[in-house]
Amino acid sequence: MAHTGLFISFEGIDGAGKSTHIDGLAAAFKAQGRTVTLTREPGGTPLAEKLRDMVLHDAMDALTEALLIFAARRDHLQQVIEPALARGEVVLCDRFTDATFAYQGSGRGFDLAVLKQLEAWVQTLPAGVSAPNGLRQPDVTVWFELDPQIAAVRLAGARVPDRFESQPVDFFQKVSDGYAQRAQADVQRFVRLDAAQTREVVWQQLHHHFVQRGWLKASSHGNA
Ligand code: TMP
């Protein structure tokens, strides 16, 4: 049976614990015969991964940062996301444009109108594809919400921090507020999970949500 492509993004401040759940969902979709494209932003193509390395490690001003992130996104959409959706695959993307509005917009205080313009230029739909606001957006965005103080404890000493992970707690509070604004503006798309709960409880809630939407069978539960 031909499937309709599904585009799912995962968001949250650094330390919110997205990764294991993304892997768990990939396994659950594969277990029921779906082809899964597991990818991330910034990144997901050779060019976008080079841009990721610059964005995470090289000093630059806020507009340069936003332009590089959207350049990486354009390449990622063209090379990976759109082709996978056209083939009817499940695309699980670790971060997408909500991260730009949360980190660059809310966290860094960069002009939201410029981000909106970049979003409109970059997220154009392929010919013959339509969407409610005329742009490519995830079908669902899973937001792992976590108190920045708890995230800071989780991240402490975990690895050498990049340009974002090394930011103070109040930066992550602004990022978190940015996610809350995006979620409020698009309640249909966002699924909010309380990431302070145990990993198992977060997984159960996440899985339950996908079962309710009819995208996973209840038997595909597995372990986080
Ligand atoms: P990751 O560590 O979850 O892979 O994310 C990489 C970092 O990049 C993370 O600190 C968030 C940041 N980021 C932005 O600042 N803007 C964006 O648009 C994206 C996708 C990520």
Side-chain angles (χ1 to χ4, degrees):
M1 188 185 76
H3 288 289
T4 308
L6 268 184
F7 182 22
I8 302 161
S9 65
F10 301 85
E11 299 285 358
I13 59 172
D14 293 85
K18 296 173 272 116
S19 311
T20 48
H21 297 300
I22 299 174
D23 291 343
L25 268 188
F29 275 111
K30 283 181 192 165
Q32 49 182 70
R34 296 292 305 255
T35 303
V36 173
T37 291
L38 201 56
T39 189
R40 68 172 182 181
E41 291 217 343
T45 69
L47 172 62
E49 289 290 332
K50 286 187 206 163
L51 295 173
R52 174 191 176 92
D53 193 46
M54 294 176 196
V55 167
L56 295 193
H57 301 113
D58 296 350
M60 62 188 73
D61 87 321
L63 174 58
T64 308
E65 185 175 289
L67 291 169
L68 291 183
I69 286 170
F70 272 107
R73 182 160 298 135
R74 177 73 183 178
D75 192 54
H76 191 207
L77 278 163
Q78 300 263 300
Q79 306 294 333
V80 173
I81 297 176
E82 293 299 350
L85 293 175
R87 292 190 298 265
E89 296 179 12
V90 177
V91 177
L92 302 181
C93 192
D94 188 348
R95 302 190 183 281
F96 195 63
T97 305
D98 298 305
T100 318
F101 280 85
Y103 279 78
Q104 281 62 50
S106 192
R108 296 237 194 269
F110 186 68
D111 191 339
L112 295 179
V114 175
L115 297 183
K116 279 204 172 302
Q117 180 63 70
L118 291 169
E119 180 184 38
W121 282 337
V122 165
Q123 291 165 231
T124 48
L125 290 163
V129 177
S130 61
N133 68 357
L135 296 180
R136 174 61 75 193
Q137 297 289 7
D139 298 298
V140 162
T141 296
V142 181
W143 172 34
F144 295 87
E145 191 186 15
L146 186 65
D147 181 339
Q149 302 278 1
I150 301 176
V153 173
R154 285 188 186 176
L155 277 181
R159 55 184 166 183
V160 180
D162 61 35
R163 286 177 65 238
F164 297 100
E165 290 163 341
S166 57
Q167 292 290 322
V169 167
D170 64 337
F171 173 83
F172 287 106
Q173 188 56 59
K174 288 189 236 164
V175 173
S176 200
D177 295 344
Y179 277 127
Q181 282 159 21
R182 292 286 284 182
Q184 216 170 15
D186 202 346
V187 288
Q188 301 294 334
R189 176 165 66 86
F190 270 80
V191 178
R192 178 196 161 278
L193 295 172
D194 176 1
Q197 304 173 105
T198 65
R199 185 186 292 180
E200 180 57 23
V201 171
V202 173
W203 169 250
Q204 277 166 8
Q205 293 177 350
L206 179 59
H207 186 266
H208 179 67
H209 179 84
F210 282 84
V211 171
Q212 270 188 324
R213 287 201 178 229
W215 291 344
L216 285 177
K217 299 189 189 96
S219 57
S220 68
H221 187 273
N223 283 312

